[in-house]
Amino acid sequence: MSVTLLSEETKKKEKSQLLVLKRGQNRVMVKRHRSHNLMLDAAYKYFPGNPRDVVTLQTNELDVCEGHYVDITAEIWDDVIDLLNVIEVTRGEEMTSPVPLPLRVNARHVISSHDNQSAPSRVNAQDSSKNDGKVTIELVSPSGEIQTTKISREMRVDKLIAGACKTLGHPTDFMAVQSVGGGMGAVIMKEDRSISSYNVRDGSTISLQAKCRLGKKPVIYLYSPSDIDVSVKLSLIPEWSLSVIYPVVTTEDHGQRLEWNVRTHQDGSLTEYNSGLDVSYLFWEAETNFPLSPASKPQPVDEFNPISSILDDMDSIVIPVDKATVYLDKSLKVLGLHTEARTSFITYWLPSILKHDYIALRFLPQAAYERVASLSISPQPDVVTRVFMLFRGIAEEHLAKWANAQMQAEEDVAWWVDVVGVDPASAGDAALFRVLEWGGMEVQI
């Protein structure tokens, strides 16, 4: 009996002394400081990407928050600190506050703006938009942060997108989506229309969403010690559909499944039976079904989703583009790519990389990638190596937000072997039946 009581008391003590600080996908357990300033210091210590003077603490755990993330001020710190388990760390500039996930649009609830209809929107009790020609909205960034901002009702949608992207440091290849029906649906806003042409009022939510993300040039090499017949089946999750394949074969399930039947040769070439073509590899490319396709089941934050996956300061490296080719060659070599594969990878992505001053990049864990683009190969290979890169451009003025990623770029590239989960020695063993795939995707966030 005394043991049980001790356990309960220990749990109470742990709860009173500890809480979790969260920044995006990253979490750290810290002491429950009674001082607001000490907690800000802890937030800056563990998430140093933002200057100390703009760090803000927020919560959505209390009933009064009504599900929204709200700033925790110094004045109310003593009143709420014992009631919280998780505190969100964000920037305090321009009243920015994060939300758990970006708005997701379900096809069953999408209302096309081509219908020239405006949809009902959540309205605050006091709507000042009719009085001064301006409206205060919650603008959700692609990474899931909310920026509360006041805009003119006569502003065009494309101007809103451009201004927000400039502030956030993102490219402008986004569309605006107005949340309707209490967040259960959305209106895709046409760029040539004004805000006033939609039922946007104080408190309305508008999200920026990527127009399209392409999984580009995944190519699949097959190497066997002797000539054998091989079946290669590829299955994609609903967020992706095949857009280009070679050699061409019939696709199924709305472009989300295919099968190649090939004959391998000892020189590394393949003969595809359907077309009779001799090829060096199998090629596929996919585009996202967003937002006009129903979303699949929510993905855990540590898995890859072609719609919502991002790069951040903790999981990526950041380098100037003039160092990108050397870094990529070293990384791809330790991951098991041979000379031709490394050369093809770099030359394919180089034109996109050179459009930027700096790039952030990361390689996906094979297991996460497999859950999105499943390969089923028969007979079963001895070793499968799948390397898929995510990258995005970084403007020089935003480098301060990527301090950790810049430090990680100075580390030995061998750390990617454990991240991706490959066996480079087996990948180069010519006595084994080996599969090698490489591909990538440029993301906007």
Side-chain angles (χ1 to χ4, degrees):
M1 185 68 168
S2 60
V3 174
T4 302
L5 290 174
L6 179 61
S7 175
E8 292 175 351
E9 290 299 320
T10 300
K11 290 179 180 179
K12 291 179 180 178
K13 184 176 181 181
E14 288 177 349
K15 183 175 181 180
S16 64
Q17 292 181 346
L18 305 174
L19 56 74
V20 173
L21 291 180
K22 176 176 176 288
R23 171 70 174 169
Q25 299 178 4
N26 303 302
R27 296 170 182 258
V28 60
M29 187 173 293
V30 299
K31 291 183 178 180
R32 188 184 297 266
H33 292 294
R34 314 305 305 181
S35 164
H36 185 257
N37 280 329
L38 287 178
M39 188 60 75
L40 287 173
D41 290 340
Y44 177 68
K45 175 182 178 181
Y46 293 106
F47 304 107
N50 295 319
R52 167 64 173 77
D53 59 350
V54 300
V55 171
T56 298
L57 306 177
Q58 298 184 329
T59 184
N60 69 342
E61 293 185 340
L62 304 180
D63 291 341
V64 70
C65 299
E66 296 183 339
H68 298 283
Y69 277 86
V70 178
D71 288 356
I72 308 171
T73 63
E75 289 80 5
I76 66 165
W77 184 255
D78 288 339
D79 298 322
V80 302
I81 182 58
D82 291 323
L83 305 176
L84 306 177
N85 295 314
V86 179
I87 293 178
E88 187 81 32
V89 180
T90 186
R91 292 177 66 92
E93 296 177 329
E94 297 179 334
M95 298 177 64
T96 302
S97 60
V99 293
L101 288 172
L103 172 71
R104 294 188 181 222
V105 183
N106 190 306
R108 292 172 294 179
H109 301 291
V110 170
I111 303 172
S112 172
S113 59
H114 294 277
D115 298 333
N116 290 319
Q117 297 176 348
S118 55
S121 173
R122 177 171 56 85
V123 182
N124 286 349
Q126 294 182 345
D127 186 356
S128 63
S129 60
K130 295 181 179 179
N131 298 328
D132 60 3
K134 294 186 178 181
V135 61
T136 300
I137 64 169
E138 293 179 343
L139 186 65
V140 184
S141 77
S143 60
E145 290 185 325
I146 293 180
Q147 182 182 52
T148 302
T149 184
K150 197 168 188 176
I151 60 173
S152 169
R153 289 177 55 81
E154 299 308 313
M155 175 182 286
R156 278 176 40 135
V157 173
D158 57 353
K159 297 296 183 183
L160 172 65
I161 296 172
C165 290
K166 182 177 181 180
T167 299
L168 296 167
H170 295 317
T172 57
D173 192 24
F174 291 100
M175 61 184 175
V177 180
Q178 181 190 359
S179 178
V180 299
M184 295 302 294
V187 173
I188 303 172
M189 305 174 76
K190 294 183 67 175
E191 294 185 7
D192 61 352
R193 288 174 59 174
S194 67
I195 298 298
S196 62
S197 65
Y198 296 91
N199 193 20
V200 176
R201 301 188 181 185
D202 282 344
S204 292
T205 298
I206 297 177
S207 293
L208 297 182
Q209 303 288 0
K211 292 180 179 178
C212 184
R213 290 181 171 189
L214 291 177
K216 287 197 171 183
K217 207 183 180 181
V219 296
I220 304 169
Y221 302 85
L222 304 174
Y223 302 104
S224 58
S226 59
D227 294 6
I228 57 174
D229 291 331
V230 180
S231 164
V232 179
K233 296 179 180 179
L234 173 68
S235 299
L236 306 181
I237 63 171
E239 284 85 348
W240 252 354
S241 287
L242 293 161
S243 56
V244 183
I245 55 175
Y246 183 80
V248 177
V249 293
T250 301
T251 62
E252 301 177 3
D253 292 345
H254 306 288
Q256 289 170 338
R257 203 156 53 89
L258 63 75
E259 179 180 8
W260 283 294
N261 288 285
V262 301
R263 179 80 174 174
T264 68
H265 304 292
Q266 295 182 51
D267 64 357
S269 65
L270 310 170
T271 300
E272 198 275 314
Y273 280 119
N274 181 64
S275 62
L277 291 171
D278 293 322
V279 296
S280 297
Y281 48 71
L282 307 174
F283 165 83
W284 66 274
E285 190 168 282
E287 61 184 10
T288 51
N289 296 321
F290 181 75
L292 298 180
S293 288
S296 64
K297 295 180 181 179
Q299 300 287 315
V301 294
D302 60 343
E303 294 187 6
F304 170 55
N305 187 302
I307 290 173
S308 58
S309 288
I310 64 174
L311 298 111
D312 64 37
D313 186 42
M314 302 305 295
D315 63 16
S316 310
I317 65 98
V318 168
I319 50 177
V321 294
D322 60 1
K323 295 183 178 180
T325 54
V326 173
Y327 186 90
L328 283 173
D329 186 75
K330 290 180 178 178
S331 301
L332 297 172
K333 187 173 184 178
V334 301
L335 290 172
L337 273 67
H338 51 70
T339 302
E340 188 279 328
R342 299 198 306 273
T343 303
S344 295
F345 184 108
I346 292 170
T347 54
Y348 180 82
W349 286 112
L350 192 56
S352 297
I353 290 172
L354 291 177
K355 295 177 182 178
H356 308 289
D357 297 324
Y358 295 82
I359 60 165
L361 69 86
R362 67 182 176 102
F363 295 100
L364 295 177
Q366 278 197 108
Y369 181 52
E370 171 66 21
R371 286 187 284 267
V372 173
S374 175
L375 269 184
S376 176
I377 299 175
S378 180
Q380 184 174 341
D382 296 305
V383 58
V384 176
T385 303
R386 307 184 75 186
V387 177
F388 195 88
M389 177 184 72
L390 301 182
F391 77 98
R392 58 161 289 190
I394 303 293
E396 186 171 3
E397 58 266 29
H398 296 289
L399 284 177
K401 300 178 182 179
W402 297 84
N404 185 69
Q406 293 178 76
M407 289 190 292
Q408 289 186 148
E410 301 300 322
E411 297 180 9
D412 190 321
V413 296
W415 73 291
W416 287 118
V417 173
D418 292 330
V419 172
V420 179
V422 297
D423 183 354
S426 297
D429 188 344
L432 302 177
F433 176 25
R434 297 161 291 145
V435 175
L436 171 64
E437 180 187 40
W438 64 259
M441 184 170 74
E442 181 172 9
V443 302
Q444 305 297 331
I445 56 177

